[in-house]
Amino acid sequence: MALLELKDVHTYYGNIHALKGISLTVEKGEIVTLIGSNGAGKSTTLRTISGITPPRQGQVTLEGQRIDQIPAHKVVNLGVLQSPEGRRIFPRLTVRENLEMGAFTRTDKTNIASDMERVFGLFPRLKERVGQYGGTLSGGEQQMLAIGRALMGRPKVLLLDEPSMGLAPVLVEQIFNIIKDINSQGTTILLVEQNALMALGIAHRGYVLQTGQIVLSDSAKALSENETVQKAYLGME
Amino acid sequence: MGKVRFGIWAGVAGVATILIVGGKTVWMAALIVGLIIGLLSANNESLKTPRDGVRYGLLNGVAAGVVLIIGQLLRSLWLDPLAGQTALDIGIGAAGSALVAGLIGLVIAAAVAAILSASQHLAGIGRTLAVGAVVGAFLLFLPQIDRGLGLAWLGDIIPIMIFIILALGLNIVVGYAGLLDLGYAAFFAIGAYTAGMLSSTHLSGQFGSNFQLSFWLVIWIAAAVAAMFGIILGAPTLPLRGDYLAIVTLGFGEIVPILFTNLDAVDWIKTSTGEPLNLTGGDPGISAIAPPFLPIVQRLDGSGAMIIELIGFVLVVLAALYLVRRVLDDERAARKSTTLTKIVGGLLAVFLLYAFFYGTDIGGTPLAIPGTSGAGQFLPTERTPWYYLIIVIFGFSIFFINRLRRSRLGRAWMAMREDELAAASMGIDLVRTKLLAFALGATFSGFGGAFYGAYLGSITPSSFQFDKSVLILCMVILGGLGNIPGVILGGLIIVSADIFFLNRLTDLLKQIASNSNNEALANFKASDYRLMLFGIVLVIMMLVRPEGLVPSARRRAELHADEETARHENASAFDVEHNNAQLSTE
């Protein structure tokens, strides 16, 4: 049984049919990436999984249990945590408070403390900034904070939405290395990216999304060698 | 200059009091100025040790004192003759007296400021105890001081305290949860009317009974009913944000007083005489609301004897609790009280309270229907017991709100205010969190309303109009959204301006006018300009200091994000992207 599975999911924004029957699976321990151009429905897929924009049709299951009718705050309890697009850290909360918010649904104080140490281990930068307000961090630091915050909820599946957005290339590389580390420590990751080259570089498998539908799915290696993908998303001729 | 800037400002506020009120105000002003300097020194991050605190307190207290001396000289040598009043005289002529009185004021201000700001920077529990002792002593002795100086301020202090409690409640909704509520006076009205209906014979009389509930019960019912209406208002506004929410709350604030005006003939409920039920009393409202009833009320007079008795009572309770713990706990657990000690201690405290209240006074119970016994009623003419009652409610509110702010719920409010979507993706239930903000915010207006009704003895719909909502919102914004000391200061300034300064200014101008036969001045009523004054103050505040007088660190961070970023710029040359994109655009 797949850890996370979407079956023929249709999601609408009002009358706009954003997802037109998405089916995908994420197995335990994988990094799965969703690539595609602007407006393809990548972020919508993540919002559908996390319950912020529930699907009108189809099923989302986590470990075989349906989660598509569950409100967003309860999906978090089940172990689906998201680092949202545009990071959305709490600007007037300190770095520490931001991380604590990530563990909002948890009550096991000692484990929270050790998880915070783990986050600081992954992002030493955050430890230096621990008392600083989130809004005063640089873009890269904010991205680290958003990922760290999601990790504080002990996710079974970590949903990452465009972690490379607006960051300098050297920093993107650093963030992606950390994502790989997080995965190798045992966290399953669903990664949404426009930067297909980077995403396919660290993912095990990938799906290509186009106007709300999945047009291709394969191992990351095969996708990066696929001619259509190379032309459309990797900028190769 | 920079170091004593705050002292000078506090002194100027004190001078305003001296100039407008006169008499022996200078010492009371000095005391309050000292307290304010000391209390707000907690927000000063450059002070680290009690020694820093003493220095800061002395410097600012002396600066304020100098300003107070100037004020007292102005009052004695200029305003008093102008108004035809005898200046403060301690037997050495007006000028000399003013100088000596001012100097005494300086010493008071400096001493109080130094002690309090030193206490503020003690470590750990010592801080709570020391600050509590200083502020507690001031509040306890205030009626005594007030009487000693012949000021008779209690009648103004009580409504000021009511409004500060309301402002603290609104601060939960606006400051903590970030939900703009323009109709908060509606909850105040609901609290007051609930109390009015239950503790007067207004309703029961129409059904041929004389049933009245005691204030001690009614205050909780009023809070609960207000909280319920908080949820009723909150529910339809859940999907709304910002401006839309403000408009709905504005509507609610308009509807409630109109309802209370018009629900004076409810056709579908008939009274025992067959008339339609008069639920709310219409325009004249509800009168003859029973005051609280407490057997020992006559002893709550602020006298030295009462204070000694009270301190003795507290000491006895503490000693008893300590003994219980020593006897019941084994050595290792002595630091942590077990459930058993809590129960025994609680029972003991109840017993001691009972003994305290009933030891010498026989008759009635706290829940008795007032009027069955003449003794033990809070009288409208005796303000001191009312004062102590509102102080207890105030203290309870502060304690409770402070705990709330630091609780899980408090953090959920904060996160929701920052970013609703992100908060939801952290597992925060937005519906519950929002409704609890409305409900808990309304609870405090319920307390305030119940007290207000009992204190005045009657309520009318006109006391709960839109201007009250605006007034309460002004206090929260002026003082500093989301910060308890700020909100208290804001409330103190705005309400004392509204019901104290403007009235006394009118009196003063009248005296000057009659002394100098100035027609134009005689007809000038300063209180007519109150709303204009608040408008001007708010506009100036928004331009000069949008975070309020005593902002919480978070709001300062938001409104001065550029400076904050600049401070960290050097350290974070880490990234090419501009730091502030998150704050402004996303």
Side-chain angles (χ1 to χ4, degrees):
Chain A
M1 181 179 41
L3 181 59
L4 179 71
E5 185 166 12
L6 274 68
K7 268 190 215 152
D8 189 33
V9 165
H10 291 259
T11 302
Y12 293 75
Y13 291 111
N15 287 326
I16 302 161
H17 196 170
L19 297 186
K20 301 165 185 161
I22 300 270
S23 297
L24 62 83
T25 56
V26 180
E27 301 291 338
K28 198 166 180 340
E30 276 189 317
I31 299 183
V32 173
T33 184
L34 276 180
I35 56 177
S37 52
N38 268 338
K42 305 186 300 288
S43 293
T44 308
T45 308
L46 292 195
R47 290 170 67 103
T48 301
I49 296 168
S50 61
I52 293 167
T53 321
R56 212 175 277 181
Q57 196 188 317
Q59 289 188 7
V60 182
T61 54
L62 182 76
E63 295 174 318
Q65 186 196 350
R66 276 189 72 167
I67 59 168
D68 47 86
Q69 298 306 325
I70 295 178
H73 65 270
K74 289 197 177 140
V75 173
V76 175
N77 264 333
L78 299 172
V80 179
L81 278 107
Q82 188 175 8
S83 156
E85 186 180 11
R87 307 184 276 266
R88 302 197 88 123
I89 51 136
F90 301 112
R92 280 187 283 164
L93 265 54
T94 63
V95 168
R96 181 183 294 283
E97 287 166 334
N98 264 282
L99 292 175
E100 282 168 355
M101 286 313 304
F104 186 79
T105 56
R106 296 170 54 191
T107 47
D108 45 339
K109 274 193 182 152
T110 48
N111 289 336
I112 292 176
S114 68
D115 282 2
M116 196 174 292
E117 282 313 308
R118 180 181 161 223
V119 170
F120 288 147
L122 287 164
F123 303 106
R125 198 77 201 167
L126 292 183
K127 191 161 193 175
E128 292 166 30
R129 299 259 182 275
V130 71
Q132 207 169 307
Y133 288 111
T136 66
L137 298 180
S138 72
E141 290 162 349
Q142 290 190 359
Q143 185 60 58
M144 295 175 184
L145 184 56
I147 297 175
R149 186 179 63 179
L151 281 177
M152 289 299 292
R154 289 218 165 162
K156 288 179 186 150
V157 189
L158 176 62
L159 310 177
L160 296 178
D161 199 345
E162 304 264 7
S164 76
M165 192 170 77
L167 300 185
V170 56
L171 208 64
V172 174
E173 199 149 328
Q174 202 180 341
I175 297 268
F176 272 75
N177 282 334
I178 295 170
I179 294 173
K180 225 170 145 181
D181 287 346
I182 293 170
N183 176 250
S184 63
Q185 290 174 15
T187 308
T188 310
I189 293 172
L190 179 57
L191 169 68
V192 154
E193 257 302 341
Q194 278 204 47
N195 189 336
L197 186 64
M198 291 299 297
L200 290 173
I202 63 164
H204 301 104
R205 291 190 300 117
Y207 292 86
V208 178
L209 225 65
Q210 209 174 307
T211 56
Q213 283 168 317
I214 288 174
V215 292
L216 265 176
S217 76
D218 211 332
S219 75
K221 192 163 181 299
L223 279 179
S224 54
E225 284 161 3
N226 181 303
E227 229 172 85
T228 331
V229 175
Q230 284 186 345
K231 262 192 199 158
Y233 303 108
L234 302 178
M236 300 181 192
E237 285 300 323
Chain B
M1 265 314 261
K3 276 186 192 160
V4 294
R5 203 176 56 193
F6 188 74
I8 292 173
W9 276 112
V12 169
V15 166
T17 325
I18 295 171
L19 289 182
I20 292 174
V21 186
K24 291 175 184 163
T25 316
V26 57
W27 296 315
M28 181 70 111
L31 196 55
I32 294 174
V33 164
L35 274 171
I36 291 178
I37 293 173
L39 279 178
L40 296 186
S41 76
N43 278 34
N44 192 326
E45 285 153 17
S46 65
L47 307 176
K48 304 267 186 271
T49 61
R51 185 189 278 267
D52 291 345
V54 171
R55 247 219 338 255
Y56 174 87
L58 280 178
L59 266 174
N60 281 280
V62 169
V66 171
V67 181
L68 289 179
I69 294 176
I70 300 171
Q72 184 59 41
L73 284 170
L74 277 175
R75 171 78 203 194
S76 288
L77 302 180
W78 175 54
L79 274 179
D80 278 328
L82 199 61
Q85 290 183 331
T86 31
L88 177 69
D89 196 343
I90 45 176
I92 45 171
S97 301
L99 208 57
V100 172
L103 273 173
I104 297 174
L106 182 144
V107 173
I108 295 174
V112 172
I115 294 170
L116 194 52
S117 74
S119 320
Q120 290 277 18
H121 298 90
L122 288 172
I125 187 84
R127 179 186 165 194
T128 317
L129 288 178
V131 174
V134 175
V135 176
F138 170 75
L139 292 177
L140 206 56
F141 285 101
L142 186 62
Q144 189 82 314
I145 303 168
D146 179 60
R147 211 171 308 153
L149 297 179
L151 297 175
W153 282 6
L154 282 192
D156 295 309
I157 291 173
I158 293 167
I160 290 174
M161 298 303 294
I162 297 177
F163 276 96
I164 291 179
I165 291 170
L166 295 178
L168 286 169
L170 181 63
N171 181 48
I172 294 180
V173 186
V174 184
Y176 294 165
L179 307 164
L180 183 53
D181 184 348
L182 292 180
Y184 190 67
F187 299 116
F188 182 33
I190 288 167
Y193 267 88
T194 307
M197 288 175 195
L198 293 177
S199 57
S200 74
T201 53
H202 174 81
L203 282 188
S204 56
Q206 297 182 53
F207 295 99
S209 117
N210 59 359
F211 176 79
Q212 283 168 292
L213 268 178
S214 158
F215 173 82
W216 307 117
L217 212 72
V218 160
I219 189 166
W220 299 103
I221 299 175
V225 171
M228 202 180 73
F229 276 93
I231 292 175
I232 291 174
L233 167 72
T237 65
L238 282 175
L240 303 179
R241 274 178 217 181
D243 320 0
Y244 304 102
L245 174 66
I247 291 167
V248 173
T249 55
L250 183 65
F252 186 72
E254 286 297 307
I255 290 168
V256 167
I258 293 175
L259 265 181
F260 284 143
T261 312
N262 291 327
L263 284 178
D264 56 354
V266 184
D267 287 328
W268 42 278
I269 304 175
K270 298 285 186 235
T271 64
S272 51
T273 55
E275 304 278 314
L277 176 73
N278 181 348
L279 187 65
T280 58
D283 266 326
I286 295 175
S287 56
I289 300 169
F293 176 84
L294 193 69
I296 58 148
V297 68
Q298 273 76 16
R299 273 155 55 207
L300 287 177
D301 53 1
S303 66
M306 179 208 97
I307 287 161
I308 290 168
E309 202 171 347
L310 200 66
I311 293 171
F313 171 68
V314 171
L315 286 179
V316 168
V317 172
L318 289 178
L321 283 176
Y322 177 76
L323 276 178
V324 168
R325 279 175 61 163
R326 283 312 288 263
V327 173
L328 289 180
D329 293 345
D330 66 83
E331 278 303 313
R332 262 182 307 169
R335 288 181 164 271
K336 265 193 180 167
S337 52
T338 61
T339 316
L340 184 65
T341 44
K342 276 180 193 157
I343 292 169
V344 175
L347 285 175
L348 196 69
V350 170
F351 171 75
L352 285 169
L353 271 170
Y354 186 84
F356 178 65
F357 283 143
Y358 298 101
T360 52
D361 299 84
I362 315 283
T365 70
L367 301 183
I369 296 160
T372 52
S373 157
Q377 281 200 16
F378 280 55
L379 301 171
T381 46
E382 256 310 314
R383 300 208 195 276
T384 314
W386 293 100
Y387 164 79
Y388 284 120
L389 177 58
I390 193 78
I391 289 295
V392 169
I393 299 175
F394 174 70
F396 168 78
S397 306
I398 300 250
F399 172 78
F400 192 67
I401 293 174
N402 207 20
R403 293 294 289 258
L404 264 181
R405 183 177 62 89
R406 296 183 196 179
S407 70
R408 233 172 101 79
L409 182 61
R411 287 189 295 135
W413 282 333
M414 223 179 316
M416 186 176 75
R417 183 193 63 197
E418 300 276 295
D419 189 328
E420 284 197 6
L421 190 79
S425 26
M426 296 297 103
I428 292 168
D429 184 349
L430 293 181
V431 171
R432 203 180 98 95
T433 311
K434 269 191 193 178
L435 288 182
L436 277 175
F438 276 115
L440 286 166
T443 302
F444 292 94
S445 64
F447 289 139
F451 182 91
Y452 184 82
Y455 176 63
L456 292 182
S458 68
I459 44 176
T460 63
S462 61
S463 321
F464 308 102
Q465 299 292 341
F466 179 58
D467 66 316
K468 288 289 187 303
S469 295
V470 174
L471 199 73
I472 301 166
L473 190 63
C474 283
M475 299 176 208
V476 177
I477 292 173
L478 176 73
L481 216 51
N483 192 25
I484 294 177
V487 172
I488 295 174
L489 185 70
L492 194 64
I493 293 173
I494 293 218
V495 195
S496 54
D498 189 23
I499 63 179
F500 182 79
F501 285 113
L502 288 178
N503 291 339
R504 311 248 168 164
L505 182 62
T506 309
D507 293 347
L508 178 69
L509 292 178
K510 213 162 265 162
Q511 280 169 346
I512 294 177
S514 70
N515 199 38
S516 60
N517 288 322
N518 185 331
E519 275 292 327
L521 205 55
N523 294 325
F524 179 83
K525 259 192 90 186
S527 44
D528 287 350
Y529 296 85
R530 54 188 276 267
L531 288 177
M532 189 178 86
L533 187 75
F534 297 143
I536 294 171
V537 167
L538 273 194
V539 170
I540 294 175
M541 281 298 294
M542 287 301 106
L543 291 173
V544 180
R545 211 178 152 94
E547 68 271 35
L549 292 175
V550 195
S552 64
R554 290 180 208 288
R555 278 197 69 75
R556 205 160 32 200
E558 180 197 35
L559 287 159
H560 296 279
D562 297 337
E563 298 157 32
E564 191 85 1
T565 310
R567 251 205 286 154
H568 296 294
E569 198 87 284
N570 295 336
S572 62
F574 180 59
D575 196 325
V576 285
E577 200 203 28
H578 193 264
N579 293 340
N580 228 0
Q582 176 77 26
L583 267 184
S584 47
T585 56
E586 289 159 17

